[in-house]
Amino acid sequence: MSVMLASFMVLLLPSLAASSVHNNHTNIQQNPLKLNSQLSFQIIFHAFLLWASLGFLMPVGTLVIRMSNTVKCGKKLKALYYCHVILQITAVFLALAAVILSIIHFENFFNNTHQRIGLALYVLIVIQPLVGFFRPQRGVKFRRLWYFVHWILGNGVCIVGIINIYIGLHAFHARASKNVRLWTILFTVEVCIIAFIYLLQDRWNYMQKQGVILGNEQITPTDHSPQNIQKDHEAEIP
């Protein structure tokens, strides 16, 4: 699933960005917006807030909570959980600040891809912490459905948010005629690092076991067969 999400994001980014650039050029011609120094600063500050929220804190918060899958110490689990909560709540407040900034200073016609995706993200960003707050106890049947909804919302917001940041960079370049190549490259490097860590977390324990002697047995290539993986997974579940 992790590989599918990462592949989907890589394949979707170019087409969405190209479509958005075309739409933004059309909308700029229809609704030209003159940029003065103050408005330019507000747009950059808006972009910074959403990068910090959707492009950094939320993905890092996801990586932090995934670390708890391999932690057995109760104190460490609590520390990771509260760190996840703090990161996500901070990200929500930064996103809300960006919303307030855009409502006060920007023209919100929602006639382009960036604004439409942004509106959907704002709604999901408010829903996600509410879903997390009403977390059922372990062992309850509803817990599985809650986990799936919380997982799909969290990852979906991060992925769509990252896509919309790219679209926003292209839109700013089209409106202000400013070079955003450096910021695009830096953000791409950050996204690649986060995606690499996300994928690595799934296989870290397995990588550590390679070549390790367990009793009188040494792990062999056949130990990663589906039957053995299922047995190891069931043995790790408390």
Side-chain angles (χ1 to χ4, degrees), residues 202-221:
D202 286 332
R203 307 306 298 165
W204 181 250
N205 284 342
Y206 179 75
M207 290 171 60
Q208 288 182 317
K209 292 178 182 178
Q210 299 305 297
V212 176
I213 298 176
L214 300 177
N216 294 325
E217 266 182 59
Q218 185 173 12
I219 294 178
T220 62

Side-chain angles (χ1 to χ4, degrees), residues 148-198:
F148 176 77
V149 172
H150 190 58
W151 176 82
I152 201 72
L153 275 177
N155 285 278
V157 167
C158 289
I159 292 174
V160 178
I162 288 171
I163 292 172
N164 208 31
I165 289 173
Y166 279 109
I167 295 174
L169 286 171
H170 284 286
F172 179 71
H173 169 69
R175 283 195 179 275
S177 299
K178 292 186 178 180
N179 192 349
V180 295
R181 181 175 298 177
L182 175 61
W183 301 113
T184 303
I185 293 173
L186 292 176
F187 185 58
T188 301
V189 171
E190 179 210 326
V191 170
C192 290
I193 292 173
I194 291 175
F196 174 76
I197 296 174
Y198 185 94

